[in-house]
Amino acid sequence: MKNGLKIVVIGAGSSYTPELIEGLIQRQHELPLRELWLVDIDDGREKMEIIAALTRRMLAKAGLAVQVETRLERAEALHGADYVCSQFRAGCLEARISDERISLKYGLIGQETNGLGGFANACRTIPIALQIAADMERLCPDAWLLNFTNPSGMVTEAVLRHSKIKAVGLCNVPVIMQKGVATLLESRDEQEFIMQVAGLNHFIFVRQIQHQGKDKLGEVIARLAQRPDPLVPRNIPPFAWPKDLLANLGMIPCAYLRYYYMSDDILKQELGEASGEGTRGEVVKAIEQQLFDLYRNPDLAEKPKALEGRGGQYYSEAACELMSAIHNDKRIIMHVNTRNNGAINGLPDECAVEVSALITKSGPLALNVAPFPQDTLRLLQLMKEFEQLTIEAAITGNRHTAWRALVLNPLITSGSRLEQALDEVIAAHPDLMSAFH
């Protein structure tokens, strides 16, 4: 019997990785870590080695004797793994920036998980995710794949549909929303209240807030309507929802829904940013350079606070708590991407949804949610159809399927501009979109 866990991190050169290491250290008594394998591609070798050195310093400071290995090939790392954390970015930040610039060029919102950018990101990422899943079927069939790779919902659904491995997707947005609700309720302990979310990744709504036996959703909505939304990642500038939107919805939308409810405002904002300090991807690239300058410091042995500017706050809390909840059969409620199985009435049972779920050793058990209002349900159904057609296009490389997906998306303008934009995002990364060529 193995004495301890083997955890593999794919995309280990990410600036987020110190968050994950911090979370593992904090849970050393819950997650007996034996081996940590860091994997990246050749383009990410330097960053991975910097992260590996920082990881060893952090583990040594915590007094943990953990074997840390780095690899450019997945096979050896995956063999016998217990948990595989996927956090890679296909095409690196340059691909994200390219998506943003191409989108804005054609008058479309430029974002890595929404609209044209989300489509392009998914088409680059899903084939790689399925290769990883196939390797896991062969080398560590009993391991859990914890997917943090964006767009998390589509990537998770592709793996669940096209492989036999155990997989669950995760995003820090619901965690940030829960922290914000705790602030509004002036609650010091998040265990004092239950928050239920439901929807799709980056397209979720808070449907229920129970605090000390009372329904607090209406009260929280009223407080949100009076101030900028505090339930957002720190990388999103403060904003207020349109007047009466929250009251009319009767739910709390996540910050990413502003792309749909405030499309014109967001497009104007993005165009202004692109002509000023740069697109979000360009800003992130500058932040990453600063972070890796910090990570290189041989005296640094902890996660620097500056990482919060990257938008990754609570990442380790969500990722490592999910691992611990599965490993220790905690049966706690977390917000994850998993099979619907009837949780959201009106969406296919086999599709991936982002919902509150009971986390057990057998995986997430999605909690049923009250029926959505018909208008919101229709929007969810539209977006799920967009996601499923995008997954099909990513696998088959069929441009007609790609076009069908994009014309459904509310953030996309159809016509000749769409055809030109689609051609351009495909041509920008022929090696990562080989199915289309």
Side-chain angles (χ1 to χ4, degrees):
M1 183 176 178
K2 291 190 298 184
N3 181 25
L5 299 172
K6 178 178 180 178
I7 297 175
V8 178
V9 182
I10 297 179
S14 166
S15 59
Y16 283 138
T17 304
E19 284 268 4
L20 186 64
I21 307 307
E22 180 187 65
L24 292 172
I25 290 171
Q26 291 172 344
R27 289 165 178 80
Q28 57 184 284
H29 301 298
E30 300 177 12
L31 292 169
L33 183 59
R34 180 184 83 252
E35 300 175 36
L36 182 65
W37 291 66
L38 306 178
V39 180
D40 216 310
I41 60 175
D42 192 52
D43 286 347
R45 181 202 297 260
E46 182 184 3
K47 288 184 176 180
M48 178 177 65
E49 294 297 346
I50 292 169
I51 292 289
L54 173 57
T55 295
R56 293 185 180 102
R57 295 194 298 269
M58 291 174 71
L59 291 168
K61 182 179 178 180
L64 296 180
V66 175
Q67 177 184 345
V68 178
E69 300 283 347
T70 59
R71 290 293 186 277
L72 297 178
E73 298 292 336
R74 289 192 300 266
E76 185 179 357
L78 287 174
H79 184 75
D82 296 292
Y83 294 93
V84 178
C85 300
S86 172
Q87 58 176 35
F88 68 91
R89 184 186 293 279
C92 304
L93 280 172
E94 286 70 23
R96 174 180 181 172
I97 294 167
S98 172
D99 291 343
E100 292 168 342
R101 287 289 177 182
I102 292 171
S103 297
L104 293 172
K105 173 183 174 180
Y106 291 99
L108 304 173
I109 285 175
Q111 211 276 329
E112 67 168 332
T113 59
N114 299 75
L116 181 65
F119 167 85
N121 191 8
C123 287
R124 291 191 300 269
T125 303
I126 286 171
I128 299 172
L130 293 180
Q131 291 169 12
I132 293 169
D135 288 346
M136 288 179 63
E137 286 182 8
R138 181 169 52 90
L139 298 167
C140 52
D142 295 326
W144 276 94
L145 173 67
L146 308 184
N147 178 62
F148 320 126
T149 296
N150 275 326
S152 183
M154 285 190 271
V155 172
T156 301
E157 177 159 341
V159 171
L160 290 173
R161 280 179 175 269
H162 297 282
S163 80
K164 298 176 183 178
I165 65 169
K166 299 180 291 186
V168 57
L170 193 64
C171 179
N172 66 343
V173 170
V175 182
I176 292 167
M177 295 183 77
Q178 185 149 340
K179 300 282 185 186
V181 168
T183 299
L184 289 173
L185 291 175
E186 299 177 353
S187 173
R188 295 182 179 180
D189 184 0
E190 291 177 37
Q191 302 303 316
E192 288 182 353
F193 68 93
I194 295 174
M195 184 183 87
Q196 185 184 33
V197 304
L200 310 178
N201 179 235
H202 286 188
F203 209 96
I204 57 169
F205 301 83
V206 175
R207 301 299 314 278
Q208 188 175 177
I209 299 173
Q210 296 289 332
H211 183 233
Q212 297 179 346
K214 296 181 180 179
D215 181 359
K216 293 286 188 175
L217 181 59
E219 178 183 327
V220 172
I221 288 174
R223 292 189 184 187
L224 279 175
Q226 299 170 6
R227 54 182 288 182
D229 190 344
L231 280 61
V232 301
R234 292 185 185 177
N235 59 305
I236 294 178
F239 73 95
W241 292 104
K243 185 181 179 182
D244 298 329
L245 172 68
L246 296 179
N248 289 332
L249 278 175
M251 305 176 284
I252 303 173
C254 77
Y256 283 87
L257 276 155
R258 75 195 197 284
Y259 290 106
Y260 301 87
Y261 293 138
M262 305 166 64
S263 299
D264 289 347
D265 297 335
I266 298 300
L267 179 57
K268 290 175 185 175
Q269 176 185 315
E270 288 191 347
L271 287 168
E273 291 170 348
S275 62
E277 64 177 350
T279 67
R280 177 59 191 170
E282 289 164 339
V283 171
V284 166
K285 188 174 182 179
I287 293 172
E288 282 217 338
Q289 290 174 345
Q290 296 168 8
L291 286 171
F292 275 92
D293 286 342
L294 293 174
Y295 295 168
R296 287 185 180 92
N297 182 354
D299 296 323
L300 181 69
E302 61 186 9
K303 179 201 77 177
K305 188 172 178 59
L307 181 53
E308 294 176 4
R310 177 70 174 79
Q313 68 271 38
Y314 312 128
Y315 164 54
S316 67
E317 180 171 329
C320 296
E321 187 62 16
L322 178 59
M323 250 186 285
S324 179
I326 293 173
H327 183 68
N328 296 296
D329 198 24
K330 281 190 173 182
R331 307 189 182 201
I332 59 173
I333 295 175
M334 294 188 69
H335 318 297
V336 296
N337 288 272
T338 188
R339 284 191 180 90
N340 184 30
N341 287 338
I344 299 178
N345 187 30
L347 292 181
D349 286 347
E350 71 279 5
C351 80
V353 292
E354 188 163 287
V355 290
S356 303
L358 193 70
I359 309 299
T360 74
K361 202 170 188 67
S362 299
L365 300 176
L367 302 179
N368 286 73
V369 64
F372 274 96
Q374 286 297 307
D375 57 337
T376 307
L377 176 60
R378 295 293 181 261
L379 188 55
L380 283 166
Q381 290 170 331
L382 182 72
M383 293 306 298
K384 177 47 66 178
E385 189 66 24
F386 160 74
E387 289 189 351
Q388 293 188 331
L389 285 169
T390 297
I391 292 168
E392 183 182 341
I395 294 171
T396 64
N398 187 305
R399 291 191 185 222
H400 180 62
T401 304
W403 179 83
R404 288 170 57 206
L406 289 167
V407 294
L408 285 177
N409 193 300
L411 301 183
I412 302 293
T413 303
S414 60
S416 59
R417 283 198 300 174
L418 171 56
E419 294 177 356
Q420 293 165 13
L422 176 58
D423 286 344
E424 200 162 329
V425 295
I426 290 173
H429 301 281
D431 54 330
L432 293 170
M433 288 183 145
S434 57
F436 287 95
H437 296 272

